[in-house]
Amino acid sequence: LEFRRVLFRSLSAAATAYWLAEDGSGTGSVQTFGQVSVSPHRLAAFTDVSKQLLAQSSVDMEGVVRGDLASILAIAADKAVIEGSGSSNQPTGILNTSGVNSVTFGAAATWAKVLAFVSAVEQGNADAANMKWISTPATKAAWKGAVKVSNYPSFLLDDNNEADGYQFLVTNQVSSDKVVFGDWSQAMFCTWAGISVLVDPYTQATSGLVRIVADMYCDVGVRQAHAFCASTDSGAQ
């Protein structure tokens, strides 16, 4: 079974504008375009449920199991967007995409390091409206208590859960308390045909079990790597 590879265009270099005399002739310039290639990666999960449980339960157990499998797939897909390894059949996530900016804390996070993230992404002409932070609850707690300047009650993460004016989102999907900042509109999550759910009453029939299988085909594509900046170490030191 072969799936068609899909290519997305990305802008690698912009055109050039010129100042001209009243009767001057313009100099032609063109944009340079790159390609982001995505292709399906299969993500699947299944579970076996006894026919007796399905018969005796007062709730729709099949529906409960289907919902749980869909949730598991969604969590795995979310993690792939952030840090998919690009190997062992996984998509390549933001943390493993070539060209993404990086900052190393080396110790407890400081205001200078926070500004280094923002500066790196802004130099890539990212869209400020879509720029956000993500990290773990441990990083959030550390930044809530870390002052910008000694002996002054102004913290890296303010009461609005913003750092330098950008929203800070919390997730357990980032390993090692790393921090990611960027324009999230530049990360694409692509799917083919959505999530399929198969109820199989035959494979485990002799054991009185019904197998419920959920799978999907998806991939991750980062259109502009320089629109992101990720830490190489923990933001919760």
Side-chain angles (χ1 to χ4, degrees), residues 44-147:
F46 75 87
T47 188
D48 295 329
V49 182
S50 72
K51 292 181 179 178
Q52 181 175 329
L53 175 62
L54 294 174
Q56 289 183 322
S57 177
S58 60
V59 298
D60 178 12
M61 283 304 301
E62 182 179 318
V64 171
V65 172
R66 287 184 185 216
D68 181 64
L69 291 176
S71 176
I72 289 171
L73 294 185
I75 291 171
D78 184 54
K79 191 171 183 67
V81 172
I82 300 169
E83 57 179 44
S85 67
S87 60
S88 301
N89 303 312
Q90 292 185 25
T92 301
I94 294 168
L95 291 179
N96 292 303
T97 296
S98 177
V100 168
N101 302 294
S102 64
V103 168
T104 299
F105 291 106
T110 63
W111 185 237
K113 293 293 186 180
V114 169
L115 297 181
F117 278 85
V118 178
S119 176
V121 174
E122 287 180 339
Q123 288 182 46
N125 293 321
D127 183 357
N130 293 303
M131 295 200 297
K132 292 180 174 62
W133 304 86
I134 64 165
S135 192
T136 61
T139 300
K140 177 184 177 181
W143 286 25
K144 280 280 191 179
V147 294

Side-chain angles (χ1 to χ4, degrees), residues 151-164:
N151 302 317
Y152 188 79
S154 179
F155 302 92
L156 301 188
L157 192 58
D158 65 23
D159 291 340
N160 295 319
N161 289 325
E162 293 182 346
D164 195 30

Side-chain angles (χ1 to χ4, degrees), residues 1 8 23 34 39 49 51 56 85 108 114 124 138 181 208 217:
L1 182 64
F8 289 89
D23 56 351
S39 58
V49 182
K51 292 181 179 178
Q56 289 183 322
S85 67
V114 169
F181 176 74
Y217 294 93

Side-chain angles (χ1 to χ4, degrees), residues 51 201-210:
K51 292 181 179 178
Y202 307 110
T203 302
Q204 300 290 331
T206 57
S207 300
L209 301 174
V210 174

